[in-house]
Amino acid sequence: MAGGELMRVVIDQELCIGGGICEMLEPEMFELDNDVVISSVVGDGLLPRERAEEVADRCPGRAIALVQEEI
Amino acid sequence: MRSTVDMTPAATVETPNVTDPSLYLRGIPHGCFAQLRAIDGLAWHPYEDGGFWAVTHHADVRFVSRNPELFSSAIGHTNLWDLEADALEARRSLIDTDAPDHTRLRRLVAGAFTPKNIRLWEETVRAITIDLLDEFVSQGGGDWVDMVAAPLPIQVILTMLGVPVEDADYLVELSNYLVEGTGDAQSIPPDAFGNTTELRLLPFNSPASHALFEYGEGMRQHRQDDLQDDLVSHLVQAQSEDEQMSRSEYRNMFHLLVFAGNETTRTAISHGAMALAASPGEWQRVLDDRSMINSAAEEILRWATPIMHMRRTVTTDTELAGTSIAKGDKVVMWYASANRDETVFEDPFRFDVSRANSDHFAFGGGGPHLCLGAFLARLELTVLLEEMAKRSLCLEQTSEPVRARSNFVHGVLSVGMQPRTSP
């Protein structure tokens, strides 16, 4: 994947089960709200493709979608 | 029910038995699971009342976990055997519910277990850990379960719940009887602890569940008149004022938080100690490079697999791993097998503190039932490893473990350890 290609991560809050795996894997990018226990993206939402795919794949609620970022 | 004609024939012959609880007295029957994983598709496993599909591959466990609309937790039971409708209702907890009941119940407690809120407990966990390790070292070792693995998680969860920590020993004792209840032999009579309820109506068919219900009821009454900043008060408020849960749901939630909050992490800490003692070179790598503590904790979780399976019930005729399965069939996700799946974990029987792949199923395979206490368990394990590393504490195993007679809980009842300060 070498450097270049970035993907934007998007959370479907209807699907989020509040498992916190995204925040564990990328603490700068995701934040699980303590009251509603739903995650949101707090950083720029951009990750290298391979990492983005890994984070989306690990999401227990299948709530993370990836959007191709125009460069 | 299982259709009898179009079954995958290869899967029905010579399926090794993985349900006999006595097998687990010698540890997880990994050889049997390897045989099951070698079968294409799903293996049909006979069982008392008809049998189940054994789901042993990592990818298939993940699929079942993450598709709750196809694989129900509320129908039948989440253990191998079905319960009668009244028993299922009486015992129903977060574990045996589907949306929307599951979502409602989980939301009542989930906020307490987010990564951020769990981090607030770090100093509490550390103080408890330091006391236990200091005592373990000054005594020159002893039963690791009794001295460290059991008291650490029970003291932490009781503190969170607001339950007097002096009662930790009693609640650990009840938990031990509950573990027995997951096997096929119970050492206490049905009327133990003053129980008068039919055992089939109690979690794990155990009179100890009656005792834990009574204890939870006592806590509820205490807190009702005197709300505190603790988890029991939060539940009492949700139950009585906001009517977000029934009385039965409260007592099953209390039962679950106490049992799951102590027994499972105790198991991880017990197997972790045994793994570190058996692989002193791996522990030395952590001592040399503390940045491995997180991956070491994840590896301990994979290695331990404290809960070895959960069962689901198929809601509609479908296909899994190329096998046709019918509405009403039982599917059993064997985490114990998925965590050794050679197609996912390289050299899966090697204990590797720097293993890059942490996608283990010690907390289940994902989906809505992902272990509520996952970040608490991780905190307890990492703090324990940090404090052991600070002391350069190495462990030497001095006796064979006494294991739980259970195909569900990978429990260790006792194992001797003694401290050494260099490997």
Side-chain angles (χ1 to χ4, degrees):
Chain A
M1 60 138 233
E5 196 178 8
L6 292 175
M7 300 293 280
R8 183 177 297 281
V9 293
V10 181
I11 295 180
D12 182 336
Q13 301 202 325
E14 293 293 308
L15 292 176
C16 176
I17 64 148
I21 304 292
C22 55
E23 185 178 310
M24 178 182 83
L25 295 173
E26 290 290 337
E28 304 296 313
M29 183 146 301
F30 297 96
E31 187 170 0
L32 183 56
D33 182 276
N34 278 337
D35 295 320
V36 295
V37 200
I38 286 174
S39 271
S40 42
V41 176
V42 289
D44 58 9
L46 297 177
L47 285 174
R49 173 187 279 276
E50 197 171 292
R51 180 62 170 170
E53 285 172 350
E54 186 188 352
V55 173
D57 181 59
R58 289 285 298 275
C59 172
R62 297 181 298 170
I64 298 176
L66 304 181
V67 182
Q68 184 86 46
E69 190 61 11
E70 304 291 336
I71 299 175
Chain B
M1 281 292 98
R2 178 194 176 208
S3 55
T4 45
V5 213
D6 58 353
M7 214 53 43
T8 322
T12 54
V13 279
E14 290 179 42
T15 307
N17 180 354
V18 292
T19 58
D20 179 357
S22 66
L23 279 176
Y24 293 80
L25 290 170
R26 299 186 300 276
I28 294 172
H30 283 300
C32 296
F33 283 114
Q35 276 177 272
L36 289 174
R37 284 196 301 278
I39 294 169
D40 280 338
L42 303 180
W44 180 257
H45 192 300
Y47 190 66
E48 293 160 9
D49 58 356
F52 57 81
W53 295 108
V55 185
T56 55
H57 296 106
H58 190 275
D60 300 333
V61 169
R62 161 191 287 260
F63 185 84
V64 173
S65 292
R66 297 180 190 208
N67 288 280
E69 61 289 345
L70 288 175
F71 302 100
S72 168
S73 294
I75 301 171
H77 195 193
T78 46
N79 284 129
L80 300 178
W81 58 94
D82 276 333
L83 294 177
E84 294 102 346
D86 57 340
L88 193 57
E89 257 347 282
R91 296 162 60 153
R92 206 182 277 289
S93 76
L94 209 47
I95 304 278
D96 331 82
T97 41
D98 291 332
D101 285 336
H102 177 263
T103 319
R104 169 177 56 85
L105 291 171
R106 185 157 176 137
R107 284 204 175 130
L108 291 177
V109 285
F113 294 93
T114 61
K116 266 191 296 296
N117 277 341
I118 285 301
R119 274 197 293 276
L120 300 176
W121 292 97
E122 180 173 339
E123 286 319 304
T124 305
V125 172
R126 196 172 299 281
I128 291 170
T129 306
I130 287 171
D131 280 353
L132 295 170
L133 285 181
D134 284 352
E135 180 68 10
F136 175 78
V137 170
S138 76
Q139 297 275 321
D143 178 2
W144 176 257
V145 178
D146 205 36
M147 298 185 82
V148 181
L152 169 52
I154 189 82
Q155 290 183 22
V156 173
I157 192 71
L158 295 188
T159 307
M160 289 179 72
L161 284 164
V163 172
V165 174
E166 304 83 75
D167 292 338
D169 289 348
Y170 174 62
L171 294 170
V172 166
E173 185 195 346
L174 293 184
S175 298
N176 287 339
Y177 290 128
L178 296 178
V179 171
E180 277 185 5
T182 75
D184 56 358
Q186 300 211 31
S187 65
I188 47 175
D191 62 352
F193 304 107
N195 177 50
T196 54
T197 306
E198 276 183 85
L199 293 186
R200 64 183 191 90
L201 299 176
L202 293 169
F204 307 117
N205 299 309
S206 173
S209 287
H210 163 79
L212 195 44
F213 282 164
E214 290 285 296
Y215 191 95
E217 180 57 22
M219 282 299 300
R220 192 187 69 76
Q221 286 172 5
H222 266 110
R223 286 296 184 269
Q224 193 140 42
D225 305 324
D226 181 21
L227 289 177
Q228 308 274 326
D229 183 20
D230 58 34
L231 208 41
V232 169
S233 298
H234 176 72
L235 292 177
V236 167
Q237 231 171 341
Q239 196 266 310
S240 57
E241 290 175 28
D242 309 335
E243 292 178 359
Q244 289 169 312
M245 70 195 312
S246 68
R247 189 72 72 84
S248 165
E249 286 169 339
Y250 164 81
R251 63 184 194 168
N252 279 298
M253 180 77 87
F254 182 85
H255 185 289
L256 178 69
L257 290 171
V258 171
F259 181 66
N262 93 84
E263 202 288 325
T264 51
T265 313
R266 165 176 24 157
T267 301
I269 293 172
S270 301
H271 286 287
M274 284 156 60
L276 294 175
S279 308
E282 288 300 299
W283 180 231
Q284 188 58 48
R285 293 174 68 206
V286 179
L287 293 178
D288 293 341
D289 177 0
R290 307 283 171 87
S291 71
M292 284 186 198
I293 281 180
N294 283 336
S295 58
E298 295 297 330
E299 180 70 344
I300 286 171
L301 288 161
R302 181 187 78 91
W303 197 252
T305 318
I307 297 293
M308 294 184 283
H309 69 258
M310 281 284 179
R311 169 241 166 141
R312 300 288 185 259
T313 305
V314 181
T315 60
T316 176
D317 292 2
T318 183
E319 193 176 286
L320 176 61
T323 308
S324 298
I325 54 177
K327 179 179 179 178
D329 283 356
K330 299 176 185 176
V331 293
V332 178
M333 301 176 284
W334 288 96
Y335 309 131
S337 171
N339 279 346
R340 297 290 186 282
D341 187 333
E342 40 287 284
T343 64
V344 174
F345 299 105
E346 195 185 331
D347 207 355
F349 290 93
R350 190 177 120 69
F351 178 74
D352 176 359
V353 293
S354 62
R355 187 176 290 279
N357 184 353
S358 62
D359 193 11
H360 59 72
F361 293 160
F363 301 120
H369 291 274
L370 180 77
C371 172
L372 179 68
F375 289 100
L376 179 59
R378 287 189 170 103
L379 176 68
E380 290 169 353
L381 271 176
T382 52
V383 167
L384 175 65
L385 295 178
E386 283 166 15
E387 290 301 321
M388 285 175 62
K390 269 186 205 161
R391 291 163 175 71
S392 300
L393 173 60
C394 303
L395 296 173
E396 190 174 338
Q397 191 175 322
T398 57
S399 69
E400 283 301 304
V402 178
R403 298 171 190 270
R405 186 186 175 93
S406 171
N407 59 33
F408 177 65
V409 167
H410 191 203
V412 177
L413 302 177
S414 67
V415 61
M417 291 280 165
Q418 67 183 29
R420 281 187 302 130
T421 42
S422 60

